[in-house]
């Protein structure tokens, strides 16, 4: 009996926080709608940290010089569909500190079907009934706000 293993897709994700320790999430409409951290797959020859910086510019128009890239906070592996094809996605989550004023979606060259963006407090994340990915994000945000992995 052969077991199917989906192809590997490496991805970088950013837990974007501002000076008030709010976290920035993006809204997507697919799968009944959800909020998620920003990020995407690595390009050939790119490491996770570099991909995180690139994605911040592509999805939210943030200039790389305005980003304080912090430590890796988590790793998640999940099988799911990307473009109608099943993949095994391995995501590394990095803390990224930015000023809310530096977020400018009008400058974003690849907004990737983002419907909205919103800054969330830790209390809002803990109490929301809306779907937020990844599960347990409030705990990662609390860890990031405390300054450590």
């Amino acid at each position: 009996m052969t077991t199917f293993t989906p192809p590997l897709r490496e991805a970088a994700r950013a837990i974007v926080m501002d000076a008030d320790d709010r976290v920035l999430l993006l809204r997507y409409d697919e799968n009944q709608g959800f909020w998620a951290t920003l990020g995407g797959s690595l390009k050939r020859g790119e490491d996770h940290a570099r991909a995180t910086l690139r994605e911040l510019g592509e999805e939210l128009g943030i200039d790389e010089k305005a980003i304080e890239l912090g430590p890796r906070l988590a790793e998640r592996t999940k099988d799911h569909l990307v473009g109608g094809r099943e993949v095994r996605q391995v995501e590394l989550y990095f803390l990224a500190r930015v000023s809310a004023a530096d977020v400018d979606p009008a400058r974003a060259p690849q907004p990737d079907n983002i419907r909205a963006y919103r800054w969330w407090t830790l209390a809002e994340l803990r109490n929301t009934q809306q779907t937020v990915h990844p599960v347990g994000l409030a705990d990662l945000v609390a860890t990031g706000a405390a300054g450590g992995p």
Side-chain angles (χ1 to χ4, degrees):
M1 184 166 137
T2 307
T3 305
F4 172 72
T5 301
L8 180 66
R9 179 180 193 249
E10 289 191 79
R13 308 222 44 105
I15 299 172
V16 179
M17 296 180 74
D18 69 3
D20 295 324
D21 287 336
R22 298 178 303 165
V23 65
L24 183 62
L25 295 180
L26 309 177
R27 175 78 182 170
Y28 298 91
D29 287 342
E30 57 263 16
N31 301 321
Q32 291 80 48
F34 61 91
W35 291 93
T37 59
L38 72 105
S41 64
L42 275 61
K43 292 185 176 181
R44 182 178 293 259
E46 190 175 48
D47 66 24
H48 288 84
R50 181 93 213 99
T52 302
L53 294 171
R54 176 182 48 78
E55 289 288 338
L56 282 160
E58 288 179 355
E59 294 184 356
L60 291 172
I62 303 171
D63 186 301
E64 188 175 306
K65 292 177 235 128
I67 302 165
E68 180 186 328
L69 191 61
R72 186 176 97 186
L73 296 179
E75 180 176 328
R76 175 177 89 150
T77 301
K78 180 172 176 36
D79 291 355
H80 67 109
L81 295 178
V82 173
R85 191 181 101 180
E86 188 171 357
V87 298
R88 174 158 295 156
Q89 184 155 303
V90 177
E91 303 171 329
L92 299 186
Y93 286 79
F94 289 85
L95 175 63
R97 291 276 187 180
V98 302
S99 166
D102 287 322
V103 176
D104 185 0
R107 287 192 314 233
Q110 295 181 18
D112 293 344
N113 298 320
I114 297 166
R115 296 296 172 229
Y117 72 93
R118 176 182 162 197
W119 291 98
W120 297 66
T121 65
L122 183 58
E124 289 169 334
L125 279 175
R126 290 196 190 283
N127 295 315
T128 188
Q129 297 302 308
Q130 297 184 58
T131 302
V132 174
H133 294 293
V135 172
L137 179 60
D139 292 334
L140 281 177
V141 169
T143 299

